[in-house]
Every structure is written in structure tokens, then in C-alpha cells.
Amino acid sequence: MGSVQLTDPPSVADPDRAGERPTSEGRVSSRWGLLGGSLSVLVGTALIAVHASFYGNWMIDDAAITFAYSRNLADGFGPVLQPGVEPVEGFSNPVWMVLLALGKLVGLFDHGTIFGVPDYVLFPKGLALLCCMAILVLAYAGAKRLTPRPALVTLIAGAALAANPSFVIWCFSGLENSVYALTVTALAVVTLCGVNSGTLLSTKIAMSTGVFAALAGLSRPDGVIYAAAFPIVVALFTRRGGVPQAIRAVLLSAAGFVVPFGGYLLFRWIEYGRLLPNTAVAKAQPLPTITDVAKAGTVLQYAGWLLVAVAIVCLALVMQKPSKLRAGVVALLVPFALSVIAFCILQADWMGQFRFATPIWALGALGGAIVVVETLRNARIRGRILLTVTLVVATTASISGFYTQGESYRAVPKTPFCSVVERDARVTNGVADLLKLPDSAKIGVIDLGGMALVSRLQVVDLAGLADRVIADYLSTADFAGERRYVFDDLRPELISFIGTWDTTLGFAQDERFGQEYEVLYRSPRNPAAFGDVGVWVRKDLVRDPALLAAAQRYVTTETQKVVAANAVAHLRSCGDTLRPGQTPRP
């Protein structure tokens, strides 16, 4: 098998070393190295867990959309939002969805409590923590190839990730960020190892990178960009005369990508009738423009300009002379650059805290730690002192900024899914019982996740993520078309809006809304308490004034209870179990 020769130092497969036996001194050193590596991984993981606990039981409502699909898949209804409804791919993270479904199948998710904690909280967060630990294990494996201080690199990388609110918030939000970052890190480290050992063109490395790229693409739609990582690295390191082997390796990597990813595309077409997830259709990602490049600056600003500048200086010093260190860093820089490109291309996300930057943080922490440690190790005394002082100042400034970001998000996190469960799903279940609505009745909603898990009614996603027809309307900003579809075809018995969605979609301005629906509750604008909500009922269902008044009293009283609780306890869970038909707890 052809190999890519990068530098003069012997590779791990060097025949001159093949016959050497480890000495007792080497075995002791290896044990200490393993101990140091294990401790660095455990300490880094513990630091991440401590920061994650800062946000309590909070998870974003969008995560519960995937929870609903996972539940129904595990229960035998297929990957659908609710049992018996038309299959629509209202999720974009198949890998994460399947992992959660497996958790339910083995009794670890959506069954009850574990150690007194609801498993719908503990399992996704525990799975995220395992992914973070695996990222640090990979960081150690990669660092071991490039530096004699791999444990220190891993510890620094773990501490950097633990200090970063963006990384921690989204890894433990219930969304797919943790497994996404893990697949990208795995691809990067496997590529690094192939470059370092001179086996980049081997079948094992090529196929592995393709598979990890496919897993990244099945964790988030923008993850398909990492299929380009291996071909780019091969192009950078293949010498003249090695082109045939390089082409073979790239084709093998492409096969490793196409088989699983193409297989899922085929399933998507058969099951859902689309080549893109319905979520992508509804969001209508615009084509990138040159101004999108400026988004990279916002990421650097979030990390801290001074800290980034120090890392860049260390990188420049490392890149001065050809070495295995430089080659390994280049192998890391390729997927890192792709993660930055993906972030810049994606349209701004309403959830805040740089939700799409998770792979940037994972690869940046590893690469930054490597170049800083190696620069310190190779610097003279004065250089070490200067670099250390600068690092202390830069790190202090970044941590101060991180603390402010974390505090502000903890005070007002985006759309807690338990708030949606209690404020929307359980309250509307209660009023549906009061109005004697059948389970086949429809409710139009914006916050979908908690509703899909707990509502006994058929949920209509007015934001289009899980509704094919509405997604098509929203993809062309045809709000009038969506309203016609809702008023003429769907005619939901209940409608619930949050925030300004009633205005954004034009319902508030449409005279048919006032003609056909009666308001049950409309809160004052109070987004800080997650109480900016309105509930409407179709007028033909409440012709009796007494019934209307009773429904209005019920929704107002119960919603205000939830809003009051949210003002002081928005990081809480919402009961031991989540089941369709639940009503407000006494």
C-alpha cells in the first residue's frame, strides 16, 4: 500500500523500529503517560460537567422535536412527529435521533426517572457528556502524535471547552451538537494520524474519514462539507508520482461517505418524498454572499481577540519549519477551516450563543492547545515568560467574557422545552378537555417540541418544520398562502402563537383570524418570563358564552401560573414523565 512521506522522522510503521522491544523504563513511562492522559480526560470532562450543571435541567424546545421522533420510532410508529400522522422529516439530525431511540429501547430514555432525575433530561445530557469525554480522548490521541506533552494539551483543551458557554450550552441543550462535534473531531484526528504515520492513503484511513464525514452529515445537514476534508489533505500532501494512490484513496473515502449517506438519502426519498429534510425547506437557506465572511469575526470576538491573537502567533511559529508537527497541524487546520466556512454560510440562528460553532470550538481548542504547548516547550526562558504572561492576561479576558455570556444566557435561556410543555401543551390539553374536543382535533402551534411530546391533539406546525405544505409556503415567504391553507383546509380547533409570530405570519392582520377565532388568552409582552403567548379557539366551538368564559378563565389562570413559575424557576424539569394528554399539575 502506498504511503505519503511527509518528514524525515520515522513513522509508527518504520521497519527500523519494528523489532524493538519495550524496556522496563519504557513500560513505566507508558504507564505514567496513560495515567496522565486518563486524568486529563477525566478532569476536562468534570469541568465540562460542572459548567453544564450551571444551566440546570434546561433544554431547548427544538430538541424535544427530535425526542418526539425518537419516541415514536422506538414505539414502532416509525420516524413521525406523532403516531398516525403523515411522515414528514421535521428533524435534521438522524444520528442523534437514532441514539435517543436506542436509549428508549433499553429503558434509559422516556421511561421515568434515574436517580430521581427525569430520564428525558438525564439521558440526553449524559450522552452529551460521554461525547465530550470521547472528544477529549481523541484530543489526547491526536496530541500524542505531535507533542511529548499530550496530557497537558488535553487538559488545556478540556478546560478551554469547559470555559466556553457556547460549547457547553449547545452540547447540553438536548440537540445534536455534542455528537456532531465528536464526529468532526474523529475525522480530524484520524486524518492527523494518517498524515503523521505516513498511512494517509491506506484503506483504513480513507474509509474511516469517509464514514466520519457521513456521520457528520447525518448529524447536521451542513456536516456534508467535511466530505471535502480528506481530499483536500490528500491534495496538500501527495507528491508527484503518488497521484494514482491518492486518487484511489480519495475514491475509497468517497465510498465510505456515499454508502451510509446515500443510503439515508434513499430512505429519505422513500419515506418522506424529499431529498432535503423538511426543516431545510422551511428555513430556505439563502445562497452565501461575500458579506457572510464577516461572521468569522464574530466567532473570534466571542473567543477573545487577544487569546486568538496569541494562538495565531504560536501557530505561525510552529509553521516556520517543516516537521511532523507542522504537517499534523495542517491536517487539523483543514477541517477547522471547513467548520468556519460552514458557520459563515449558514444563516444567523435565532437561538443565539453561536449554536453552529460547536465544531469550531472543539477543533480550535485542540489545535490551539497543541501550538501553544509546543511554542512554550521550544521557547527560551524570556520567550516562555513573555508568552506565559500574555496567555494569563488573554485567558483572564476571555474567561471574563465567557462568564458574562453564560450568566446572561442562564438568566434568559431560549425557549425551555419544559416551559412549552407546561405553558402550551398541558394547558391546551386542559382546555381541550373542557371543550370536549376529540384527539383528532387540531392545534396550530409555533413551539413544536413540547407540544409533540405531550399534546393529545394533532399538532400543526405553523413554522413549517414538520408540515410539508407549510414548509413549501414559507420557503417562498408566501405567508398569505399559508394562511389560506390554515383557514380553508386545516381549520384547526385551537391556535397558539408565541412572540410576534402572529404578526410575522400575518394572522394578526388577516380579518379572517378575527372573524373565525376567539381569543382565550393573550399575554402582555413579557419574553423574559417566557409568557409572550396567545391562545385562540375556533368560534363555532364556543357559541355558548358561559363555555367561552370558562375556557378563557382556565387558560388565563393556568398560563399565568406557569409564567410566574418561569420567572424564578425556568431551569427546572416538568415532571417525572411526559405523556400525551397530561394537564396542568395541581
Side-chain angles (χ1 to χ4, degrees), residues 57-74:
N57 292 321
W58 170 83
M59 290 186 290
I60 193 113
D61 183 66
D62 276 35
I65 300 174
T66 306
F67 294 180
Y69 278 91
S70 299
R71 167 195 283 177
N72 293 321
L73 178 62

Side-chain angles (χ1 to χ4, degrees), residues 156-201:
I156 293 172
L161 294 177
N164 189 325
S166 171
F167 180 82
V168 174
I169 285 169
W170 293 118
C171 278
F172 293 86
S173 65
L175 290 170
E176 69 285 343
N177 293 62
S178 59
V179 74
Y180 183 41
L182 174 59
T183 58
V184 175
T185 304
L187 183 149
V189 171
V190 167
T191 305
L192 181 158
C193 291
V195 169
N196 179 267
S197 64
T199 59
L200 182 64
L201 303 185

